[in-house]
Amino acid sequence: AYTVLAAGNTVLTEEEKKLGVLLVDLGDQFSDAAVYGLGNSVMTKPFSMGGSIITASIAHVLKTTEATADEIKKKYAHAHTGHVRDAEEIQYYGTDGRTVRTAPKKIVTDIVNKCLDEDILIQVNRLIDAGNISNRIKAGVVFTGGAACLKGLVEFAAIGHGGEIGRVCLYQHASQGDMPRHFLDDGGALEGDD
């Protein structure tokens, strides 16, 4: 809970906090959510799911190691299917580390979509529904953390919420204490980009 509160102090404006915002810190193994705009209190909720579920699913479906799957996720994964052409293919090493395999890039996107739909964003939706907070998060949802860098997450999340999100942005701390980086829905850096 401390990580998501620290992220909230770093990335959220006072106006967002007053209006009401849901901050979701997407980690590797675990994620945390914090709801601001409940007066002076902040409600936090951890859930045991993060970006590693996407990595494990890619490894399973493509029959490769988790290390290779993580590279595939970082290099090719996209949450929004509209950005992937059907004919695009990727090459990677199989579980033995020697056999070169080929797969359509769309499979990676399909895996990401399934993980987001059935695992990660469903937790966010459950939090919104269980807390009856959809009318109290007028500033929208802010995603932070390493898994928030997934290309197309903004579009995917907005579509998944039926367009009810007021504002969705992505934020991740840059490594080695560099300036924070804010990401657009296409994965391009908006602020603090080198």
Side-chain angles (χ1 to χ4, degrees):
Y2 295 115
T3 303
V4 73
L5 294 175
N9 288 332
T10 303
V11 303
L12 298 176
T13 66
E14 290 305 314
E15 185 69 18
E16 287 172 320
K17 290 177 185 178
K18 286 178 189 172
L19 283 172
V21 64
L22 174 61
L23 176 67
V24 181
D25 186 40
L26 297 172
D28 184 43
Q29 300 283 326
F30 300 96
S31 298
D32 287 296
V35 181
Y36 291 82
L38 306 172
N40 289 331
S41 64
V42 177
M43 179 181 81
T44 61
K45 170 89 170 133
F47 47 99
S48 58
M49 198 167 295
S52 64
I53 194 147
I54 297 171
T55 304
S57 296
I58 291 171
H60 176 75
V61 172
L62 297 184
K63 296 178 179 32
T64 189
T65 64
E66 290 214 3
T68 299
D70 194 52
E71 289 175 24
I72 291 169
K73 178 178 74 174
K74 290 175 181 171
K75 189 171 182 180
Y76 301 109
H78 205 290
H80 195 271
T81 56
H83 293 280
V84 179
R85 287 179 246 125
D86 289 336
E88 289 181 277
E89 290 198 338
I90 62 168
Q91 287 190 335
Y92 60 95
Y93 289 105
T95 53
D96 64 5
R98 295 184 305 275
T99 306
V100 176
R101 301 179 62 110
T102 305
K105 189 175 176 183
K106 187 173 181 326
I107 286 178
V108 176
T109 301
D110 290 343
I111 294 166
V112 169
N113 273 241
K114 188 174 189 314
C115 290
L116 287 173
D117 256 348
E118 297 176 7
D119 298 316
I120 297 172
L121 292 181
I122 199 165
Q123 297 293 330
V124 175
N125 285 331
R126 283 182 184 154
L127 175 65
I128 291 170
D129 292 341
N132 196 21
I133 60 168
S134 61
N135 62 339
R136 294 189 292 189
I137 54 171
K138 292 176 177 56
V141 179
V142 176
F143 292 97
T144 67
C149 290
L150 188 63
K151 294 175 194 150
L153 179 62
V154 171
E155 288 174 286
F156 188 89
I159 290 168
H161 284 79
E164 294 178 13
I165 295 178
R167 182 179 75 85
V168 178
C169 70
L170 301 178
Y171 169 88
Q172 179 194 25
H173 287 285
S175 60
Q176 275 72 44
D178 291 341
M179 187 174 185
R181 296 171 188 251
H182 297 260
F183 290 85
L184 298 169
D185 59 359
D186 65 357
L190 173 65
E191 184 179 310
D193 192 19
D194 296 53

